[in-house]
Amino acid sequence: MKPLIVANWKCNPMTQAEAKRLFNLVRRRVKNIKNAEVVICSPFVYLSSFKFQASSFKLGAQNCFWEKGGAYTGEVSAKQLSNLGCKYVIIGHSERRRYFAETDEIINRKLKLALSAKLNPILCIGETKKEREQGKTERVFKKQLEGGLEKVSNSRFQVSRTCIAYEPAWAIGTGNPCDAEEAQKMGLLIRKIITKLYNKAASKKVRILYGGSVNSKNAASYVKEVGLQGLLVGGASLNAKEFIKIVKEVS
Ligand code: PGA
């Protein structure tokens, strides 16, 4: 399995010219990389201006709507993203859970529509600092995985097309990453829960990524040292040089 490196630009940059520049810089340097899959999750508004895709370089979105489409002002559907050429969509990011009150039920509806639109969902889960201190991490994982994956079957490889990003809220944007050994432990716990929900064969196919203050210095530790299957990169993905370095470190 090739490592999956996902850039999450969040609500950046502010102009199309900057977005294109960043996209093209990264594209030029990573398009020929064979042993990693790179996904750029840009704001919706820029997606249609990025024409180029290759087998190792793909487009993704940061969110999608929980209904198929219709009279829902301001929303973007999974099908629209797929028709635009997106291959991935981030679902249930902690910033969406926190600032947009997304529940596991909403996240589950989005995830199922993403799968039916042939997108590969990247389901984000993770505990807050408080939950970790209170020893609730496993309970949080269970709730978020059971809720997020409810009625997602294993037929037609539905679940195995889903990636799980372990993103502890306390490590996101803080410069205080979860260390690789701990991320590995959390990855094993996630896999154990998925095995219980499905079976070993299905669970084996699910890629587990780490996200939270990833940079070019720590990137390799998560993938090469402890064997996670990829990274979700926020802040560092806005700096082309740094992001390219991350991709090179793990590929
Ligand atoms: P960060 O964000 O790399 O800036 O910590 C990661 C994320 O939120 O996906």
Side-chain angles (χ1 to χ4, degrees):
M1 223 186 261
K2 286 184 194 176
L4 179 67
I5 316 298
V6 184
N8 176 11
W9 288 1
K10 307 194 181 183
C11 190
N12 298 293
M14 287 303 135
T15 66
Q16 189 171 56
E18 286 172 273
K20 274 191 164 171
R21 190 175 166 271
L22 179 57
F23 183 85
N24 286 329
L25 279 170
V26 174
R27 186 200 75 184
R28 241 176 275 138
R29 298 293 300 277
V30 309
K31 68 177 180 191
N32 294 324
I33 284 185
K34 300 250 171 347
N35 37 7
E37 196 179 342
V38 178
V39 182
I40 304 287
C41 294
S42 107
F44 292 139
V45 287
Y46 304 134
L47 287 169
S48 62
S49 62
F50 303 146
K51 297 281 180 256
F52 179 93
Q53 288 200 70
S55 60
S56 58
F57 189 65
K58 294 175 179 135
L59 270 188
Q62 300 168 16
N63 182 30
C64 67
F65 187 37
W66 67 72
E67 290 284 353
K68 281 187 179 159
Y72 299 100
T73 304
E75 287 299 333
V76 175
S77 78
K79 193 90 189 165
Q80 289 171 327
L81 293 170
S82 168
N83 287 339
L84 203 61
C86 284
K87 300 291 179 211
Y88 285 86
V89 59
I90 298 171
I91 292 178
H93 191 282
S94 64
E95 286 151 14
R96 297 219 52 94
R97 294 179 191 260
R98 183 168 166 207
Y99 304 126
F100 302 92
E102 286 196 6
T103 61
D104 291 316
E105 191 200 332
I106 287 174
I107 289 162
N108 176 247
R109 288 173 69 181
K110 292 182 175 196
L111 193 136
K112 285 186 288 195
L113 280 174
L115 283 168
S116 70
K118 306 249 174 334
L119 294 169
N120 299 304
I122 300 164
L123 170 63
C124 298
I125 70 160
E127 79 289 4
T128 62
K129 188 164 183 263
K130 193 167 167 203
E131 286 162 341
R132 172 162 279 255
E133 284 165 358
Q134 292 174 339
K136 290 185 181 160
T137 302
E138 183 163 356
R139 218 181 306 163
V140 170
F141 283 11
K142 264 196 174 157
K143 183 182 156 293
Q144 292 180 340
L145 286 169
E146 283 171 8
L149 295 173
E150 199 181 328
K151 298 212 173 87
V152 174
S153 72
N154 190 28
S155 64
R156 286 177 290 133
F157 305 108
Q158 296 260 48
V159 72
S160 47
R161 282 207 284 119
T162 306
C163 308
I164 309 292
Y166 170 53
E167 290 221 317
W170 49 268
I172 295 176
T174 59
N176 174 33
C178 174
D179 69 52
E181 264 179 40
E182 186 61 17
Q184 179 187 37
K185 264 195 223 157
M186 298 300 105
L188 289 173
L189 185 55
I190 290 167
R191 209 174 288 291
K192 196 176 99 188
I193 297 169
I194 298 175
T195 305
K196 264 203 179 149
L197 291 176
Y198 298 90
N199 54 52
K200 223 175 189 163
S203 160
K204 255 186 162 171
K205 291 190 189 131
V206 173
R207 286 182 285 189
I208 298 176
L209 321 181
Y210 168 74
S213 298
V214 170
N215 57 40
S216 61
K217 293 202 173 70
N218 61 25
S221 66
Y222 300 105
V223 178
K224 288 200 164 157
E225 284 172 29
V226 305
L228 290 172
Q229 290 81 48
L231 300 166
L232 183 47
V233 187
S237 71
L238 294 170
N239 177 328
K241 253 191 176 166
E242 177 70 359
F243 185 66
I244 292 160
K245 249 192 196 171
I246 291 174
V247 174
K248 295 209 159 146
E249 282 293 324
V250 303
S251 64

